[in-house]
Amino acid sequence: MFHIPSFDPLAQAEVVPAGQLLRQRGSRPDSVLYLDSGCVVLGVLEDGQMRHQLGVVEGPAWLDAAFALTGSSCGVDMVTDSRVRLRRISLGAFQHSLQSLPDTVATLVRDMAQGYCQQTETAVSRLAQDAEARCAQWLLRHAQHADNGTMCVTLNQRKRTIAAQLGIAPETFSRVLRHLREHGLIAGTGNVLNLPQPSALQSVAGI
């Protein structure tokens, strides 16, 4: 995105090896990154691993200019996929440079940035929904009828093991269970989970 020269050619370049986190999802940095060369992966980190990859940026290109333009937090995690050469432009200098653009161009750039941020937010949201659907499917698949006529699931395995089976991080599995509990789709404590609304859980599972 924004394949245009860096506004500040005097910004000192730095070299970063592969596997380094450049931007964390949800952060609000005080600088904007311009990638001179190399490759950066965009996605969602879970448990220190890039569990969901949403795209790849190769230099020269801006990395997080869209988020800076809209004043929003970074929507994705950014990790170097190779040795990269980049420049950090202060947020103040970046915003000051935008003032020199013609109004029509500045409006166009901001509209593009807004669209990019919305698409990113939608993509990340769908990842969370996919994880929720997989968890709901697993619960329904392992559900049994209790003596009182309700349905329940007994967690005979560690949550970490179940999360691995679902292809998600343990933290994601715990977060989804908490979300389902808050919406009244699961209840109970310990290793036994009650399913008070199996039909609603089926909707979440896409069944």
Side-chain angles (χ1 to χ4, degrees):
M1 60 181 178
F2 301 114
H3 292 266
I4 54 179
S6 167
F7 282 121
D8 186 1
L10 299 179
Q12 186 173 0
E14 59 183 278
V15 176
V16 181
Q20 299 299 304
L21 178 65
L22 295 178
R23 286 288 186 256
Q24 185 173 22
R25 187 162 54 99
S27 64
R28 290 179 177 271
D30 58 1
S31 63
V32 184
L33 296 179
Y34 183 78
L35 184 66
D36 282 332
S37 61
C39 181
V40 174
V41 175
L42 311 181
V44 177
L45 283 173
E46 291 179 355
D47 200 23
Q49 299 293 323
M50 186 65 78
R51 299 291 185 186
H52 306 286
Q53 182 173 320
L54 295 176
V56 175
V57 177
E58 295 186 1
W62 290 102
L63 281 176
D64 53 353
F67 305 113
L69 281 165
T70 58
S72 57
S73 59
C74 191
V76 292
D77 295 306
M78 302 182 179
V79 179
T80 56
D81 195 45
S82 68
R83 180 175 177 271
V84 304
R85 185 174 184 269
L86 56 82
R87 301 172 191 268
R88 298 179 190 269
I89 294 86
S90 71
L91 189 58
F94 178 76
Q95 293 173 337
H96 179 73
S97 298
L98 292 174
Q99 297 174 3
S100 63
L101 296 176
D103 290 342
T104 53
V105 175
T107 299
L108 173 62
V109 170
R110 285 192 172 88
D111 286 347
M112 291 175 62
Q114 186 66 43
Y116 174 85
C117 291
Q118 290 175 347
Q119 290 177 349
T120 301
E121 182 180 354
T122 299
V124 173
S125 176
R126 285 177 176 171
L127 288 177
Q129 291 173 0
D130 289 343
E132 193 169 270
R134 291 199 296 272
C135 289
Q137 291 168 5
W138 187 92
L139 289 169
L140 291 168
R141 193 163 56 246
H142 291 81
Q144 296 179 336
H145 289 281
D147 295 337
N148 59 3
T150 62
M151 299 185 69
C152 65
V153 175
T154 301
L155 303 180
N156 294 318
Q157 299 172 305
R158 297 176 59 190
K159 289 183 179 180
R160 180 174 296 275
T161 302
I162 298 173
Q165 295 173 4
L166 295 173
I168 59 178
E171 294 81 4
T172 301
F173 183 59
S174 296
R175 185 169 63 249
V176 170
L177 289 181
R178 183 169 59 252
H179 183 261
L180 294 176
R181 188 184 300 277
E182 291 172 351
H183 285 76
L185 299 183
I186 62 174
T189 58
N191 292 333
V192 179
L193 300 178
N194 298 316
L195 310 182
Q197 302 183 61
S199 59
L201 197 60
Q202 287 176 342
S203 297
V204 174
I207 300 175

